[in-house]
Amino acid sequence: QTGIRYAQWTDARRLAYEETSTQTVPDLLLRQIVYPDGNVENIYGPGEVTVIRSIEAEQYNRYRWLELPVETGLALPFGKHWQLDITAGLAFGLATAQSGTASIGAATHALEDLPYRKSGTLSATASLEWLYRAPHWAAGIGLQGRTGLNSTTTSGAAFSEKRQAAGLGLVVRRTLR
């Protein structure tokens, strides 16, 4: 089977790190002297304070693909209207769009500004689908896994990336009979 397929997945990343900084405070309480008669003398002066910040965040990046899949598989009928499809094959990326951010070193960049391929990607795919069949269409749910076979970055990029993904989605198919 083949056709044009739209795929979208979300990359959720959890970040947790600590930042440490030292600041000089000009009027810091350095010492307290308590006298026997109960009087308290405060001594102020310049001093350094270390601040430790714990940062936790979630970041979501979205990847959208328009691709041409070429897959083969088995259709196992269950009764008159139900079937289980098992397929595997290749998907050729025709066009893509990304949204979100990526951290490279200390700098944060928008994914749209990074050298990702807009087309020409190649992925291996496999899927398992449970479908309700009608005479000219089928619909159901599907579980799909994929892995990139070539880098999703353009040639000459400062980094190389291959993606793997798994997902569950709705399947709607027009059948030619």
Side-chain angles (χ1 to χ4, degrees), residues 14-20 51-58:
R14 288 194 170 86
L15 309 170
Y17 59 93
E18 288 186 348
E19 283 183 353
T20 304
V51 177
I52 300 173
R53 286 183 359 162
S54 293
I55 298 170
E56 292 184 16
E58 282 191 14

Side-chain angles (χ1 to χ4, degrees), residues 129-142:
E129 299 169 349
W130 180 248
L131 302 168
Y132 177 83
R133 283 185 318 186
H136 298 289
W137 59 271
I141 59 172

Side-chain angles (χ1 to χ4, degrees), residues 72-93:
T72 187
L74 296 171
L76 306 170
F78 287 90
K80 183 177 178 182
H81 291 289
W82 294 98
Q83 86 182 32
L84 179 67
D85 283 1
I86 302 167
T87 60
L90 298 173
F92 302 94

Side-chain angles (χ1 to χ4, degrees), residues 27 33-34 37 69 72-75 85 93 97 102 112 115 117 125 153 166 168 173:
D27 200 17
I33 300 173
V34 179
D37 63 357
T72 187
L74 296 171
D85 283 1
E112 298 89 5
R117 290 181 187 271
T125 65
T153 57
L168 181 67
R173 187 177 297 147

Side-chain angles (χ1 to χ4, degrees), residues 2-174:
T2 189
I4 300 293
R5 179 168 57 201
Y6 172 79
Q8 173 181 306
W9 64 89
T10 300
D11 178 5
R13 298 180 186 200
R14 288 194 170 86
L15 309 170
Y17 59 93
E18 288 186 348
E19 283 183 353
T20 304
S21 62
T22 304
Q23 304 173 6
T24 300
V25 178
D27 200 17
L28 184 68
L29 176 61
L30 298 175
R31 188 177 308 154
Q32 275 189 328
I33 300 173
V34 179
Y35 293 102
D37 63 357
N39 288 330
V40 177
E41 180 184 355
N42 294 327
I43 299 173
Y44 295 92
E48 290 193 358
V49 175
T50 301
V51 177
I52 300 173
R53 286 183 359 162
S54 293
I55 298 170
E56 292 184 16
E58 282 191 14
Q59 170 185 325
Y60 296 95
N61 296 331
R62 286 195 169 67
Y63 302 88
R64 296 170 188 89
W65 292 91
L66 191 61
E67 58 191 13
L68 176 67
V70 178
E71 299 174 326
T72 187
L74 296 171
L76 306 170
F78 287 90
K80 183 177 178 182
H81 291 289
W82 294 98
Q83 86 182 32
L84 179 67
D85 283 1
I86 302 167
T87 60
L90 298 173
F92 302 94
L94 303 175
T96 184
Q98 301 89 13
S99 61
T101 59
S103 296
I104 300 174
T108 300
H109 304 277
L111 290 183
E112 298 89 5
D113 298 336
L114 293 175
Y116 283 103
R117 290 181 187 271
K118 301 298 181 200
S119 63
T121 58
L122 180 62
S123 299
T125 65
S127 64
L128 181 66
E129 299 169 349
W130 180 248
L131 302 168
Y132 177 83
R133 283 185 318 186
H136 298 289
W137 59 271
I141 59 172
L143 177 64
Q144 183 187 62
R146 65 187 304 125
T147 185
L149 297 177
N150 63 347
S151 177
T152 60
T153 57
T154 59
S155 61
F159 60 96
S160 178
E161 231 175 46
K162 290 185 180 179
R163 297 210 172 269
Q164 295 83 33
L168 181 67
L170 298 175
V171 178
V172 178
R173 187 177 297 147
R174 172 91 167 103

